[in-house]
Amino acid sequence: MRREDWDARYAGVTNLWSAKPNRFLVSEVGDLEPGRALDIACGEGQNALWLATLGWDVVGVDYSEVAVAKARDRAAREGIDVDFVCADLVEYEPAREAFDLVLVLYLHIPSTQRASVHARASAALAPDGTFLLLGHDRTNLTDGVGGPSDPDILYAADEIAAELPGLEIEKATTVLRDVAGEEHDAIDTIVRARRPAPS
């Protein structure tokens, strides 16, 4: 989608997504020792803001100017300090080995662009840091509910794991996510990895 299309979607509602942090994020990283975190495709900032309340020093990056403005407004209202940045994620270059946690949640872009984004996200992870990716799995098209309909922008855990150079894969699988009002669950890919500490 074009930036103006995302801006229009975000402008049309109070919260395009839930104001609460993602449930899988909470279960995967809630017990980590806070440090520096990078939230790529942060949207309206719900995950970045939650991390900041736990003591993380967070940078949240999104393509949509409207989403970033809404995230900044909420942070100001709630007195939470997060550095929200508006940038094209296909071109964004985070500092290398600067973050103890890197999140890529529901960033669905063409496969021709995805690998380079994931490689830069991997490079941003500090030694012994945690990388977490979550998004709509390709099997969701036939066996799940909701989400994008273009298979090229959907995930497969093994493909994502191959796009994370220098990281040790701790988990690469699918998870089921209940969707309000739907008979079936949505199917997501989850990949968790870490950068090994120097020996």
Side-chain angles (χ1 to χ4, degrees):
M1 288 177 63
R2 298 174 304 169
R3 175 177 274 144
E4 52 266 35
D5 295 330
W6 276 115
D7 284 346
R9 288 191 70 189
Y10 280 114
V13 293
T14 302
N15 289 305
L16 183 57
W17 316 115
S18 171
K20 298 178 181 178
N22 179 275
R23 71 189 81 169
F24 298 112
L25 169 67
V26 172
S27 65
E28 290 290 334
V29 309
D31 293 333
L32 294 179
E33 186 71 25
R36 291 199 72 209
L38 175 63
D39 184 0
I40 294 176
C42 69
E44 294 155 316
Q46 67 274 20
N47 297 314
L49 291 163
W50 174 74
L51 286 169
T53 66
L54 299 182
W56 289 87
D57 179 8
V58 188
V59 177
V61 187
D62 201 87
Y63 186 45
S64 167
E65 293 177 359
V66 174
V68 169
K70 291 171 74 173
R72 289 173 177 158
D73 287 347
R74 180 177 170 190
R77 285 195 314 273
E78 298 182 11
I80 302 172
D81 186 21
V82 174
D83 181 12
F84 286 111
V85 177
C86 185
D88 184 342
L89 300 174
V90 174
E91 300 173 355
Y92 178 68
E93 291 271 1
R96 294 182 63 87
E97 297 192 6
F99 297 94
D100 304 294
L101 175 64
V102 174
L103 306 178
V104 182
L105 273 58
Y106 298 96
L107 173 60
H108 291 279
I109 57 177
S111 58
T112 54
Q113 299 173 333
R114 190 182 69 204
S116 62
V117 172
H118 291 168
R120 289 195 296 272
S122 299
L125 195 63
D128 211 30
T130 297
F131 175 95
L132 183 68
L133 176 140
L134 186 67
H136 302 285
D137 190 82
R138 198 169 292 134
T139 60
N140 193 61
L141 275 178
T142 54
D143 302 323
V145 64
S149 58
D150 179 358
D152 182 61
I153 67 172
L154 299 176
Y155 292 154
D158 57 339
E159 294 175 5
I160 298 301
E163 295 174 355
L164 306 176
L167 303 189
E168 292 181 351
I169 306 301
E170 296 180 332
K171 176 186 293 187
T173 188
T174 56
V175 289
L176 298 179
R177 174 172 45 85
D178 61 292
V179 179
E182 296 289 348
E183 185 176 335
H184 301 288
D185 290 335
I187 305 170
D188 288 339
T189 293
I190 187 168
V191 176
R192 178 174 168 153
R194 63 180 291 275
R195 180 175 299 284
S199 55

